[in-house]
Amino acid sequence: MTHATRITTADGQAVTVISRSRAITDWSARYLGLWWTAAASNPDDATGPAIHADVDQEQQAALTARVAAGSPLEVTYATAPMLLTRNETGKVTATQEEEGLAYEWDPVTRVLRIVGTDETAVATATARLAREVVRGQLLTDGWQILHASAVTRPTDGATLLTLGNKGAGKTTAGFLLARTGLHLLANDRVFARADGDTIRVLPWPSAAAIGFGLLDALDWFEPVRTRLAAGEQMHPTQKQKVTDALLAGDRTPLWKAAGTEMKPQFFPDQLHSWLGLTLATEGHAAGVLFPQIVPDADPELIPGSRGVSADDFFTASTEDRYPDVFGLLPAETPSKDLADRLAQLPHQALTMSHDIEASTAALVKAAESLI
């Protein structure tokens, strides 16, 4: 039996995921269906771009052999090596042998085929690339991606964007504000587009990484540990060392050799079911927050703003984890008009610290002045 799930944004862009495995279509629904929407559909009625994804070792081996027989280009995709070839019609065939995955994208039929040897690996790749297919549609329609967290007021959709350099506290600010009754629209990236007098915003569905320190400070560590101990699973990109530390109750941060923290990884639906947050599907930008974390400072609102720049936008040329290997994205550059429009919104800078209660109070005060 074949199953199908149609993923649709609040603005109408869509992709259909089709598989013989319900677990694969359910995975895409789980990963994308709270920030966007997901609905079961008839695979024979699929229109527009589609992803056909299955566990099929024979087809995976055949596509891998086809890539090896050509002159493949070597790239890194989703932190894993990938070999790919592209023919004169633009069809891309690719393989990630270490992951047991192979791909074939036909830009004429707009069908992406994903086959692999492991159901979880296929499901994870399928959800990721379903998002990329929709991302291409959104960018073609004039949307752009901001490096920002965002929370939305449920009564009217007024959205507060949090901008800042790496480590400024964007994600922390988003989670703290979402605990006060606002809805979480994005924890790391957000789509934005100027429509008339309004800047509309849509979420970028993704797993959420929350460091041990923040998890503990928000009193989420023990509930997460309890669920893991009961046999529930977190996102498969989570390192085993992180899972082991959670189960052991060890709150000591873990670090990669490169100096980045290994963090617990949550499915989007776990932000709601495990952590009690409510997710938003759309909004309109009403204010901009510029936080700065100073560990021992007294959290407070401060004058000034760092402004909005090209560094606040994600483009295909600056994407580090998911380069556009299949040619799904249009050429794009940061929009000066959108940056100028964002800069004209009410804005507020503030200092946050490791004092969660005081930082939340400062964030609420800022939010009330902006939206």
Side-chain angles (χ1 to χ4, degrees), residues 68-157:
S71 299
L73 173 69
E74 184 173 353
V75 298
T76 299
Y77 188 82
T79 71
M82 172 183 279
L83 296 177
L84 66 93
T85 59
R86 182 177 286 106
N87 70 12
E88 62 279 0
T89 68
K91 180 180 288 188
V92 176
T93 307
T95 181
Q96 290 181 295
E97 286 196 80
E98 292 182 6
E99 311 298 309
L101 292 167
Y103 314 80
E104 186 174 62
W105 162 248
D106 188 333
V108 177
T109 62
R110 301 172 75 194
V111 171
L112 175 63
R113 176 76 169 150
I114 304 175
V115 288
T117 60
D118 175 77
E119 188 173 69
T120 297
V122 173
T124 303
T126 300
R128 180 187 300 124
L129 281 159
R131 182 182 62 194
E132 291 299 289
V133 170
V134 174
R135 175 185 181 180
Q137 295 174 63
L138 285 164
L139 296 181
T140 299
D141 286 346
W143 294 84
Q144 296 192 61
I145 302 173
L146 292 170
H147 190 187
S149 69
V151 290
T152 298
R153 187 165 56 199
T155 54
D156 61 2

Side-chain angles (χ1 to χ4, degrees), residues 318-366:
T318 59
E319 178 64 78
D320 52 354
R321 295 189 65 193
Y322 311 117
D324 186 25
V325 294
F326 297 103
L328 301 172
L329 310 182
E332 53 172 334
T333 57
S335 166
K336 186 177 185 303
D337 176 65
L338 180 57
D340 290 343
R341 293 278 298 275
L342 289 167
Q344 292 168 13
L345 292 174
H347 60 268
Q348 178 65 59
L350 81 156
T351 299
M352 299 190 303
S353 73
H354 291 168
D355 184 330
I356 295 300
E357 184 175 346
S359 294
T360 300
L363 284 165
V364 168
K365 184 177 180 181

Side-chain angles (χ1 to χ4, degrees), residues 32-342:
L32 304 170
L34 287 183
W35 267 313
W36 295 343
T37 60
S41 63
N42 186 335
D44 296 328
D45 295 337
T47 59
I51 297 178
H52 292 258
D54 286 297
V55 176
D56 191 324
Q57 187 169 356
E58 182 176 335
Q59 285 297 310
Q60 183 267 341
L63 288 176
T64 297
R66 188 187 307 172
V67 173
S71 299
L73 173 69
E74 184 173 353
V75 298
T76 299
Y77 188 82
T79 71
M82 172 183 279
L83 296 177
L84 66 93
T85 59
R86 182 177 286 106
N87 70 12
E88 62 279 0
T89 68
K91 180 180 288 188
V92 176
T93 307
T95 181
Q96 290 181 295
E97 286 196 80
E98 292 182 6
E99 311 298 309
L101 292 167
Y103 314 80
E104 186 174 62
W105 162 248
D106 188 333
V108 177
T109 62
R110 301 172 75 194
V111 171
L112 175 63
R113 176 76 169 150
I114 304 175
V115 288
T117 60
D118 175 77
E119 188 173 69
T120 297
V122 173
T124 303
T126 300
R128 180 187 300 124
L129 281 159
R131 182 182 62 194
E132 291 299 289
V133 170
V134 174
R135 175 185 181 180
Q137 295 174 63
L138 285 164
L139 296 181
T140 299
D141 286 346
W143 294 84
Q144 296 192 61
I145 302 173
L146 292 170
H147 190 187
S149 69
V151 290
T152 298
R153 187 165 56 199
T155 54
D156 61 2
T159 300
L160 179 61
L161 299 172
T162 301
L163 300 177
N165 298 327
K166 186 176 179 61
K170 297 183 295 297
T171 298
T172 299
F175 284 133
L176 292 183
L177 285 168
R179 281 163 43 100
T180 69
L182 298 173
H183 292 181
L184 185 68
L185 187 134
N187 66 289
D188 183 60
R189 305 187 192 189
V190 62
F191 289 96
R193 186 179 73 181
D195 282 351
D197 295 332
T198 301
I199 299 175
R200 296 180 61 199
V201 287
L202 295 174
W204 164 277
S206 67
I210 306 177
F212 279 99
L214 182 59
L215 203 66
D216 192 30
L218 296 179
D219 295 324
W220 286 341
F221 189 100
E222 190 58 30
V224 170
R225 189 200 68 79
T226 299
R227 284 181 174 270
L228 280 176
E232 295 188 59
Q233 302 294 316
M234 299 181 72
H235 196 272
T237 57
Q238 179 168 293
K239 302 297 184 183
Q240 186 60 45
K241 287 183 178 180
V242 173
T243 302
D244 293 342
L246 286 167
L247 288 170
D250 185 354
R251 293 159 167 79
T252 307
L254 299 169
W255 303 92
K256 299 178 183 177
T260 55
E261 184 180 355
M262 292 185 283
K263 299 178 180 181
Q265 304 283 326
F266 295 84
F267 280 99
D269 68 298
Q270 291 174 332
L271 297 176
H272 176 68
S273 60
W274 290 27
L275 307 182
L277 307 181
T278 300
L279 306 186
T281 59
E282 62 180 317
H284 61 272
V288 183
L289 193 63
F290 298 96
Q292 180 181 3
I293 293 181
V294 181
D296 298 323
D298 292 327
E300 60 179 345
L301 308 190
I302 57 178
S305 164
R306 69 184 257 298
V308 179
S309 71
D311 292 338
D312 293 311
F313 291 81
F314 273 103
T315 67
S317 62
T318 59
E319 178 64 78
D320 52 354
R321 295 189 65 193
Y322 311 117
D324 186 25
V325 294
F326 297 103
L328 301 172
L329 310 182
E332 53 172 334
T333 57
S335 166
K336 186 177 185 303
D337 176 65
L338 180 57
D340 290 343
R341 293 278 298 275
L342 289 167

